[in-house]
């Protein structure tokens, strides 16, 4: 059986208020979750905020910031509270992750929120995706689709598929990167599918986001 754990990637949208950062909005989400659970009598919330979500109360934004975001807080059907709206999701698209790490996170890959993901950054990503899509030639070959544990070692799962025979454009504009269960670093049909999916995601985000009143942030988990 091939392994399915690994890199998950999220592009989140939230209301813009003063100079509030996504990291602060995330902290407010945790704070409001904690208050809600305490009010409902959850035994799990019988703790400090820091024990609840690794945020000390002294680290929270000012009261007016918290009050601004309160009306945007809601709970989904699974009981999880959120202010941020997920507008983009990828799994093991390590070339896209690498782009965000370099252009949004200042090269620091730590599963945390960093700088705002601006309209200009997303337009740059979209432009690079189009250039890779139009500049790559696909041919029949063997492609890697995960790994499996056989006789005490990890073995690549190989299957018939398509590979990029001129990966120079992709390597220059959106290079793949290695990481803890980040998926394949090959330039093949799976790489190209990530590019096509990213074009759809970014086009939709650019068309539906008011960058004057909303901001976007990228984070990952692995």
């Amino acid at each position: 059986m091939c392994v399915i754990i690994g890199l998950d990637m999220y592009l989140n949208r939230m209301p813009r208020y003063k100079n509030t950062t996504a990291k602060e909005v995330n902290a407010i989400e945790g704070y409001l979750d904690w208050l809600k659970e305490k009010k409902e009598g959850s035994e799990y919330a019988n703790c400090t905020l820091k024990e609840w979500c690794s945020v000390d109360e002294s680290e929270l934004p000012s009261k007016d910031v918290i009050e601004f975001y309160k009306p945007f807080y809601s709970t989904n059907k699974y009981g999880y509270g959120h202010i941020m709206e997920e507008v983009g999701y990828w799994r093991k698209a390590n070339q896209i992750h690498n782009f965000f790490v370099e252009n949004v996170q200042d090269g620091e890959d730590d599963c945390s929120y960093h700088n705002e993901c601006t309209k200009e950054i997303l337009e740059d990503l979209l432009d690079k995706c189009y250039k890779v899509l139009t500049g790559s030639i696909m041919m029949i070959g063997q492609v890697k689709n995960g790994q499996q544990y056989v006789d005490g070692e990890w073995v690549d799962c190989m299957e018939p598929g398509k590979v990029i025979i001129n990966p120079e454009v992709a390597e220059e504009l959106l290079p793949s990167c290695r990481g803890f269960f980040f998926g394949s670093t090959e330039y093949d049909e799976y790489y190209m599918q990530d590019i096509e999916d990213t074009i759809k995601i970014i086009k939709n985000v650019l068309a539906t986001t008011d960058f004057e009143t909303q901001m976007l942030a990228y984070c990952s988990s692995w």
Side-chain angles (χ1 to χ4, degrees):
M1 180 183 294
C2 291
V3 178
I4 60 173
I5 61 175
L7 174 67
D8 288 296
M9 307 153 55
Y10 309 89
L11 185 62
N12 293 326
R13 182 165 58 200
M14 68 213 77
R16 183 186 298 279
Y17 183 66
K18 296 183 176 180
N19 295 318
T20 308
T21 66
K23 189 172 183 178
E24 290 173 322
V25 174
N26 187 52
I28 295 171
E29 284 184 336
Y31 173 65
L32 296 178
D33 276 339
W34 180 60
L35 292 181
K36 177 178 74 70
E37 292 296 319
K38 287 177 75 72
K39 183 178 180 180
E40 294 174 355
S42 170
E43 61 178 301
Y44 300 107
N46 187 24
C47 61
T48 66
L49 178 63
K50 191 170 186 66
E51 290 170 330
W52 177 260
C53 63
S54 301
V55 174
D56 191 86
E57 288 191 61
S58 64
E59 300 172 339
L60 288 171
S62 61
K63 184 176 179 180
D64 72 296
V65 174
I66 295 173
E67 289 301 315
F68 172 83
Y69 282 102
K70 270 186 179 180
F72 298 99
Y73 176 84
S74 61
T75 306
N76 63 24
K77 63 181 180 180
Y78 302 106
Y80 297 112
H82 64 92
I83 295 169
M84 301 183 188
E85 172 195 7
E86 182 185 300
V87 293
Y89 171 77
W90 298 261
R91 179 164 176 77
K92 297 188 179 182
N94 57 70
Q95 75 276 43
I96 306 302
H97 175 67
N98 184 61
F99 173 88
F100 283 120
V101 169
E102 294 300 321
N103 291 275
V104 177
Q105 300 184 185
D106 298 323
E108 190 173 352
D109 188 0
D110 59 1
C111 297
S112 297
Y113 286 104
H114 286 261
N115 303 318
E116 178 181 349
C117 189
T118 65
K119 180 180 181 180
E120 291 72 24
I121 289 173
L122 293 180
E123 288 174 337
D124 181 37
L125 175 57
L126 183 61
D127 179 65
K128 284 181 167 59
C129 284
Y130 274 126
K131 287 178 178 176
V132 170
L133 183 64
T134 59
S136 300
I137 300 172
M138 309 291 292
M139 287 191 66
I140 299 296
Q142 288 287 309
V143 300
K144 178 180 175 180
N145 185 16
Q147 291 185 314
Q148 56 184 159
Y149 200 62
V150 179
D151 297 330
E153 62 179 356
W154 290 104
V155 178
D156 292 342
C157 302
M158 304 302 294
E159 60 184 28
K162 292 183 178 180
V163 298
I164 301 174
I165 63 169
N166 61 330
E168 296 82 10
V169 176
E171 289 173 333
E172 178 184 354
L173 298 178
L174 291 171
S176 58
C177 69
R178 297 184 182 277
F180 184 70
F181 290 111
F182 273 27
S184 173
T185 56
E186 302 299 318
Y187 295 92
D188 54 25
E189 62 184 62
Y190 295 106
Y191 173 97
M192 194 59 72
Q193 185 61 59
D194 289 334
I195 296 298
E196 294 175 359
D197 291 343
T198 301
I199 289 173
K200 293 176 183 177
I201 291 171
I202 302 305
K203 284 180 65 177
N204 180 66
V205 170
L206 288 172
T208 59
T209 302
D210 180 352
F211 287 89
E212 293 295 321
T213 62
Q214 298 172 307
M215 63 179 179
L216 296 157
Y218 173 79
C219 71
S220 62
S221 63
W222 38 267

